[in-house]
Structures are given as structure tokens and as C-alpha cells.
Amino acid sequence: MTLNPDLVRLPDWGFHLSYWVADGDPAPEVPFPRDWEVCGVPDFDPLAMRHQDRRRGLITLAWPMYHPSNPMVELDAVCRFLEQMTAEAMAIWLSMQDRYLSVSCGDIEMDAAELSTRGFFIAPELMQRLRRLKIRLRVSFHPHAGTRMNIDY
């Protein structure tokens, strides 16, 4: 049986990259692609545990202005543009305490019971690239049933 591609709804993959820089600290010059939206928002240190440790800073949020159809291709693209940073920018990037990449999958056709059987695989080479870039990665699944599953790497 062949499915009509016009009737098949693909998962809605969402990506966003964020990082926080304390006021007065240098920010990395990330060569974001032209088709990514990038903005900065004043925010306190997201990893501070005690109130007296909360420093002011700027959180940078970036996301593609298109709907990614293949999460592995998009993860590769994120690694590629981050790996193109200058040596100085990469040194700043690797010294920052909070770098976060979030990948979400919204699929109205996925039943919550399918989450443990559908499978999600990130190739070891891609995981190594993400690890070299010191990115915390969260993959979130939002099936039709309204439950949510987060996987943190």
C-alpha cells in the first residue's frame, strides 16, 4: 500500500539554540546562517543556585526561520556553522557556562504509547561533534496525547 504524500503529515521539528553571557563578558561571534532569527534578551544567570550569585547578562536565542524536515540534517547544519567560528570566538564559546540546543518534535499523529517504540537515533559522529562544541542537547517529543518526553544529552 502506497500512502498519498499529500495526506501524510510529517512531524513538526523545532530547533532553538541559546547561550548566556554575563554583563561585561565577551560574547562569541557565531556565524549564524542568514535564514536564522537571532535575538538577545536581558536575563539573570540561568545556572545560579543562590540569589546572591545571580548576575545580570544577556541570553541569546536563535532558531531557523523555516520548518526543518530532517532533524539529523539540521543538527549537522548547526554543528557546521558553529564549527566555522574563528579560533577566538570558539575559545569564548567553549568557556561559557551555558550553551543549550533544543530539538522538539510535535506530531499529532503519534500516539503517546508509540514514543518508546518509534525510536530516535543520533549517529555517534554527530554526537561527538555536539560534545566537542560542548552543547547541552534536549530532544522533546510532544505526541497527540498531550504527554511530553524529554531526553537530555
Side-chain angles (χ1 to χ4, degrees):
M1 173 180 197
T2 304
L3 295 176
N4 181 343
D6 296 330
L7 299 178
V8 175
R9 186 181 184 287
L10 297 175
D12 183 15
W13 290 100
F15 280 75
H16 83 264
L17 178 68
S18 65
Y19 56 89
W20 181 83
V21 177
D23 280 351
D25 286 355
E29 293 182 27
V30 178
F32 288 107
R34 292 179 186 257
D35 54 0
W36 273 57
E37 180 77 26
V38 182
C39 68
V41 179
D43 196 10
F44 286 104
D45 183 349
L47 298 179
M49 299 299 264
R50 301 178 312 168
H51 182 72
Q52 60 266 34
D53 294 334
R54 296 192 63 168
R55 299 177 292 158
R56 292 190 177 275
L58 186 73
I59 189 165
T60 298
L61 304 167
W63 59 93
M65 294 186 294
Y66 52 87
H67 293 286
S69 60
N70 183 323
M72 296 311 124
V73 169
E74 198 62 33
L75 281 173
D76 178 68
V78 170
C79 287
R80 196 169 46 254
F81 73 71
L82 290 173
E83 291 164 345
Q84 292 175 2
M85 283 190 279
T86 64
E88 295 81 16
M90 183 61 77
I92 294 169
W93 176 264
L94 295 174
S95 71
M96 294 187 316
Q97 67 175 359
D98 192 32
R99 293 162 307 283
Y100 190 90
L101 178 62
S102 175
V103 180
S104 63
C105 171
D107 187 350
I108 63 168
E109 294 179 357
M110 182 190 300
D111 189 318
E114 289 183 272
L115 279 176
S116 59
T117 59
R118 272 246 173 124
F120 183 80
F121 178 77
I122 300 176
E125 302 81 26
L126 189 52
M127 284 302 296
Q128 288 173 347
R129 289 173 69 197
L130 291 165
R131 198 173 95 223
R132 278 193 301 274
L133 291 165
K134 297 191 184 266
I135 298 176
R136 289 186 307 143
L137 175 64
R138 169 170 277 179
V139 181
S140 301
F141 296 94
H142 310 270
H144 179 64
T147 60
R148 180 178 176 142
M149 175 185 274
N150 294 324
I151 302 167
D152 294 316
Y153 293 96

